[in-house]
């Protein structure tokens, strides 16, 4: 049989798997599912790029005015909303679609949902040079707000609060290992604990139920010496995914290095792949997602948008390179309160 006859006998099911994935990743979830029942090869390709999750959006805080922008990296679109009620406040953390904000002039701490515009107030509290995080949405009765600052290298003051409380509770704890608080520390809530990564890479753990604090005897992640150059402490990020603690170290002249905490052997293991997961890194809080479009998987998306708002800087672990090319960034130059990743609403039609 000649080549022409073989080509004429080919069917749609014979399309290269890469081309099928490219087509299916542009379909809606409903059309993706319908296409997947055509044949075995289509089923494999459709499932590999099926999207059942929304990526976070990057929310920008204006230096002037009340107009806030939201960038969707999946669609590469930007939306704007006006929030005069946020005037004079700075962002502290995001989780479950909620912002935690602080007004330095009045020491007012409050939650705000930019999509429902709900507000939940907390008692006044002075947040100086420490970071703060919360466990879940403030509408939950299990929501805990947490912050830590060092009194000395071996003593920290931990303050907690919850929606409906009349005051913050502050308790001093002794450290077995040195722990220094800073605005550049990172906090995530995982498996019922608050994990706090210090400026120098030591990990403190707070149990909000047992009210215990412990600095783990886990040496900081090992990075090449050139990672510890100018502003090195500003170029790290922390996230959690399915119970795992992940840390991203960056250097403006090198590719990022990602570590996962091996909680059984208690050491930081370097990751060469994210197994299809996507990380969204910003200074104050970072997020993880699975089941995103195929082109976004196994990548880290950073909180910087280039080309007039059309392309988010990302790093692909598959290709071992940044996109767009030559977009290595000195994170020490960026304002930590400029933007933050936030989960979009489930029903986008009511928002857009």
């Amino acid at each position: 049989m000649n080549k022409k006859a073989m080509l004429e006998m080919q069917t749609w099911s014979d399309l290269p798997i890469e081309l099928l994935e490219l087509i299916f990743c542009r379909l809606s979830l409903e059309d993706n599912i319908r296409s997947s029942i055509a044949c075995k090869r289509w089923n494999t390709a459709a499932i590999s790029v099926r999207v059942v999750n929304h990526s976070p959006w990057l929310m920008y805080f204006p230096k002037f005015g009340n107009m806030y922008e939201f960038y969707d990296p999946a669609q590469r679109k930007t939306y704007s909303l006006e929030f005069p009620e946020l005037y004079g406040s700075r962002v502290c953390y995001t989780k479950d679609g909620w912002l935690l904000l602080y007004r330095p002039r009045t020491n007012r701490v409050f939650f705000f949902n930019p999509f429902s515009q709900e507000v939940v107030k907390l008692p006044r509290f002075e947040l100086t040079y420490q970071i703060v995080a919360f466990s879940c949405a403030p509408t939950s009765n299990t929501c805990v707000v947490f912050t830590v600052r060092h009194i000395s290298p071996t003593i920290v003051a931990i303050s907690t609060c919850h929606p409906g409380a009349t005051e913050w509770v502050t308790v001093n704890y002794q450290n077995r290992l040195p722990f220094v608080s800073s605005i550049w520390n990172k906090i995530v809530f995982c498996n019922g604990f608050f994990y706090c990564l210090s400026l120098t890479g030591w990990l403190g753990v707070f149990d909000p139920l047992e009210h215990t604090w412990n600095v783990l005897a886990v040496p900081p992640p090992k990075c090449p010496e050139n990672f510890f150059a100018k502003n090195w402490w500003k170029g790290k990020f922390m996230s959690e995914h399915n119970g795992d603690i992940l840390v991203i170290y960056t250097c403006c002249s090198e590719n990022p290095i990602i570590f996962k905490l091996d909680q059984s052997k208690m050491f930081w293991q370097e990751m060469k792949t994210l197994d299809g997961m996507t990380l969204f890194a910003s200074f104050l809080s970072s997020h993880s997602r699975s089941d995103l479009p195929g082109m976004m998987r196994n990548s880290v998306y950073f909180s910087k948008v280039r080309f007039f708002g059309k392309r988010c800087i990302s790093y692909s672990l598959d290709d071992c390179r940044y996109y767009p090319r030559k977009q290595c960034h000195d994170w020490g130059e960026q304002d930590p309160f400029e933007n933050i990743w936030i989960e979009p609403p489930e029903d986008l039609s009511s928002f857009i």
Side-chain angles (χ1 to χ4, degrees), residues 51-57 72-75 280 287-293 296 342-349:
V51 179
V52 296
N53 244 335
H54 291 302
S55 71
W57 289 359
D72 178 355
Q75 300 296 325
F280 296 85
H287 302 259
S288 66
R289 286 291 185 279
S290 55
D291 299 323
L292 289 182
M296 297 183 72
I342 185 170
E343 297 172 15
E346 289 292 331
D347 183 8
L348 300 181
S349 62

Side-chain angles (χ1 to χ4, degrees), residues 19-308:
L19 184 57
L20 287 172
E21 289 177 351
L22 190 63
I23 295 170
F24 291 143
C25 76
R26 285 165 167 75
L27 299 181
S28 67
L29 177 60
E30 183 179 1
D31 288 339
N32 179 291
I33 293 172
R34 286 175 177 170
S35 302
S36 68
I37 64 175
C39 65
K40 187 175 181 179
R41 291 186 78 249
W42 281 34
N43 179 268
T44 301
I47 290 176
S48 71
V49 297
R50 183 168 296 167
V51 179
V52 296
N53 244 335
H54 291 302
S55 71
W57 289 359
L58 190 60
M59 181 179 181
Y60 280 90
F61 284 72
K63 288 184 170 60
F64 307 100
N66 301 315
M67 191 63 70
Y68 294 75
E69 290 187 338
F70 296 83
Y71 174 76
D72 178 355
Q75 300 296 325
R76 298 185 184 178
K77 292 182 179 179
T78 300
Y79 312 101
S80 298
L81 280 180
E82 194 169 9
F83 299 125
E85 56 267 65
L86 301 188
Y87 178 78
S89 61
R90 77 180 189 210
V91 64
C92 298
Y93 200 76
T94 63
K95 192 176 180 69
D96 298 339
W98 286 81
L99 299 165
L100 182 63
L101 299 119
Y102 174 63
R103 284 200 180 98
R105 295 184 65 179
T106 61
N107 290 334
R108 171 63 70 189
V109 185
F110 64 101
F111 291 98
F112 180 73
N113 188 315
F115 309 115
S116 67
Q117 301 197 21
E118 296 174 83
V119 177
V120 177
K121 293 181 179 180
L122 292 172
R124 296 178 192 271
F125 189 76
E126 184 178 359
L127 292 170
T128 50
Y129 296 103
Q130 73 265 35
I131 56 173
V132 59
F134 58 97
S135 59
C136 58
T139 50
S140 169
N141 58 12
T142 61
C143 177
V144 178
V145 186
F146 162 85
T147 185
V148 57
R149 62 183 177 87
H150 72 275
I151 306 298
S152 72
T154 57
I155 299 176
V156 297
I158 290 178
S159 301
T160 57
C161 193
H162 59 86
T166 57
E167 62 180 4
W168 290 69
V169 176
T170 301
V171 178
N172 290 353
Y173 292 87
Q174 192 83 27
N175 293 330
R176 292 189 300 107
L177 295 166
F179 186 92
V180 178
S181 62
S182 162
I183 195 66
W184 303 107
N185 288 6
K186 310 297 174 186
I187 303 178
V188 298
F189 183 77
C190 180
N191 298 326
F193 301 95
F194 286 99
Y195 290 83
C196 185
L197 187 71
S198 77
L199 195 69
T200 52
W202 292 92
L203 195 64
V205 183
F206 178 71
D207 184 339
L209 293 180
E210 299 295 330
H211 304 285
T212 58
W213 165 260
N214 181 37
V215 178
L216 300 182
V218 180
K222 292 183 179 180
C223 293
E225 288 188 8
N226 57 343
F227 270 64
F228 300 98
K230 177 185 174 184
N231 296 325
W232 65 268
W233 60 88
K234 300 179 182 180
K236 64 178 185 290
F237 309 88
M238 184 165 69
S239 182
E240 67 86 21
H241 184 76
N242 292 343
D244 288 325
I245 306 297
L246 308 173
V247 173
I248 308 164
Y249 275 72
T250 65
C251 174
C252 62
S253 60
E254 301 289 342
N255 291 336
I257 302 177
I258 303 172
F259 298 92
K260 179 175 73 173
L261 178 63
D262 186 321
Q263 300 185 47
S264 61
K265 298 180 181 178
M266 298 305 282
F267 80 101
W268 291 101
Q269 178 184 6
E270 184 176 347
M271 300 180 69
K272 298 298 185 181
T273 178
L274 294 175
D275 295 322
M277 177 179 53
T278 309
L279 296 177
F280 296 85
S282 58
F283 282 103
L284 299 173
S285 64
S286 300
H287 302 259
S288 66
R289 286 291 185 279
S290 55
D291 299 323
L292 289 182
M295 64 187 75
M296 297 183 72
R297 297 180 185 181
N298 215 35
S299 297
V300 181
Y301 279 72
F302 293 97
S303 56
K304 196 72 176 178
V305 179
R306 295 294 198 194
F307 300 107
F308 306 100

